């Protein structure tokens, strides 16, 4: 067991559609590039870092504002 500390650069953007009295539906996307990664101990395999440096993350959701 262990952890990996990494430093990344990335871009993030999103779309949202607000429906009055109902709420907001949103979609966010992020593209990150790993610049540096350091494992916490020697048991963690780091052989995939040179090949897997790009991360793509998406999230979709619903938000209701209370005010």
């Amino acid at each position: 067991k262990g952890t990996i500390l990494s430093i990344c650069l990335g871009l993030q953007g999103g779309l949202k559609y607000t429906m009055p009295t109902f709420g907001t539906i949103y979609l966010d996307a992020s593209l990150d590039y790993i610049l540096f990664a350091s494992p916490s101990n020697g048991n963690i395999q780091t052989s995939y870092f040179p090949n897997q440096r790009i991360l793509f993350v998406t999230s979709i959701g619903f938000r209701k504002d209370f005010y």
Side-chain angles (χ1 to χ4, degrees):
K1 292 187 175 184
T3 58
I4 299 172
L5 174 67
S6 61
I7 297 174
C8 302
L9 284 178
L11 297 171
Q12 182 176 6
L15 301 169
K16 73 174 186 173
Y17 179 71
T18 302
M19 296 168 280
T21 69
F22 182 67
T24 302
I25 297 172
Y26 64 90
L27 170 71
D28 290 330
S30 174
L31 183 66
D32 299 318
Y33 182 76
I34 299 174
L35 296 174
F36 172 75
S38 176
S40 64
N41 61 42
N43 295 327
I44 298 173
Q45 296 293 326
T46 58
S47 60
Y48 67 90
F49 285 128
N51 300 325
Q52 302 286 334
R53 290 190 176 261
I54 296 176
L55 305 172
F56 181 71
V57 179
T58 60
S59 62
I60 189 169
F62 172 77
R63 179 174 49 227
K64 176 74 173 165
D65 294 328
F66 298 107
Y67 46 101

